[in-house]
Amino acid sequence: MSTKPPQRVSLFRAFVDSNVSGGIVLIMAAVLALIVANSPLSETYFHALHVKLGGLSVLHWINDALMAVFFLLVGLEIKREMLTGQLADWPRRALPGIAAAGGVIIPAVIYVLCNLSTPQTLRGWAIPTATDIAFALGVLALLGPRVPPALKVFLTALAIIDDLVAVVVIAIFYTSGLSLAWLAAAVAGLCLLGLLNRLKVKALWLYLAIGAIIWFFTLKSGIHATLAGVAVALFIPLHTHHKDSDDDHHSPLIRLEHALHKPVAFLIVPLFGFANAGVSLAGFTPAALLAPIPLGVALGLFLGKQLGVFSASWLAIKLRLARLPDNSTWLQLYGVSVVTGIGFTMSLFIGLLAFPTHPDAQDSVKIGVLIGSLLSGLIGFALLSASAPRKAPVADLDVSSED
């Protein structure tokens, strides 16, 4: 009698699991950064981040080089989801896409309204528009199977679209001093990757080697170097052209995505959090929260995201452009909308780009992000906990066949 082979773990399940674990490590890194930045080690901490290595400071190596790997993974996930995953067709894109649009527009409007009196700070309008997928999925994971699987899919898809919007925003609004010569060299490198893809070359090392050169050209061009990661990801082959298309080992994109998950989740993102979440609270008073930047960021994340995501979702469902996620209630959808206000990694990153030469403004961004994200996580968890059924659903969702 033959035994049934174990069911293949879906890419979605593996993705959720790694981000939940990575989210815990990220929280620990952020807390440690705050502790160190407000301890006798603070001077050593800030000095170490500005030590020069090969022409760049340690902080720049983390934010420009290591985070390019993070954006490479983001690009891989966007491409896979758009081609074969949860964003492969309009019915599945509709609700998270419309919700993500609301979750970008309303927080930006709130930030702008809070900063109208200080035009020099308006540049940070995009800071509260992003959702941190690791933290957000971590909150849902704490509730276990009591959260409908369809809501987890909705949140994942929405966060991926958020990342895509953030990439576009960075490329358009946070690029300065453009060098056409270096940009042309980077485009030439991408054309070479396109040719390799067209020729069905599957040697990952070749794509990554050329990608490293493209990163250097992008760094010199004036466009933020991390965007090279997303651009390179779009040319990594996904389809295997094998009869057994479910065999992940034959797809360069899937192999690279799996290879990057743990290093990104457990090393790169926590290192980014440790390097960028540290802010000295010496002399900080509650009144400082009413300053335009922290107030705009905190309200944008906590109020803007939930209002934007939920109202856009409600409108889409009422107009029958989309439908409520399976086995979920309006209160649960609202709870998830509140959770989208957790905007740690990408919000901090955009804050650095918005105020690259203003340390005080960067500290204000950090305070706003931490407060807005904390409120969103706590209130969202409370709402989802109160709305969750006492008995768990029969089974979790397996979307392996769609990957």
Side-chain angles (χ1 to χ4, degrees), residues 76-88 160 403:
L76 295 173
E77 290 164 349
I78 290 173
K79 178 175 179 177
R80 175 175 57 78
E81 292 291 345
M82 294 293 290
L83 294 180
T84 65
Q86 293 304 312
L87 303 175
I160 289 174
D403 292 326

Side-chain angles (χ1 to χ4, degrees), residues 289-311:
L289 293 176
L290 299 179
I293 292 178
L295 183 63
V297 172
L299 290 183
L301 286 172
F302 179 58
L303 292 181
K305 291 296 286 188
Q306 60 174 283
L307 291 176
V309 169
F310 186 75
S311 61

Side-chain angles (χ1 to χ4, degrees), residues 180-249:
L180 295 181
W182 286 109
L183 180 60
V187 171
L190 292 175
C191 290
L192 179 56
L193 290 184
L195 177 62
L196 294 176
N197 187 304
R198 188 80 174 177
L199 295 174
K200 299 181 175 58
V201 176
K202 297 184 177 63
L204 266 177
W205 69 269
L206 188 56
Y207 287 93
L208 296 179
I210 296 173
I213 297 173
I214 293 173
W215 173 84
F216 176 75
F217 290 159
T218 306
L219 178 69
K220 292 291 187 178
S221 72
I223 297 177
H224 201 273
T226 52
L227 296 182
V230 177
V232 170
L234 299 181
F235 293 95
I236 304 295
L238 172 61
H239 297 297
T240 65
H241 303 288
H242 285 263
K243 291 183 179 180
D244 181 11
S245 60
D246 286 333
D247 187 358
D248 295 344
H249 298 291

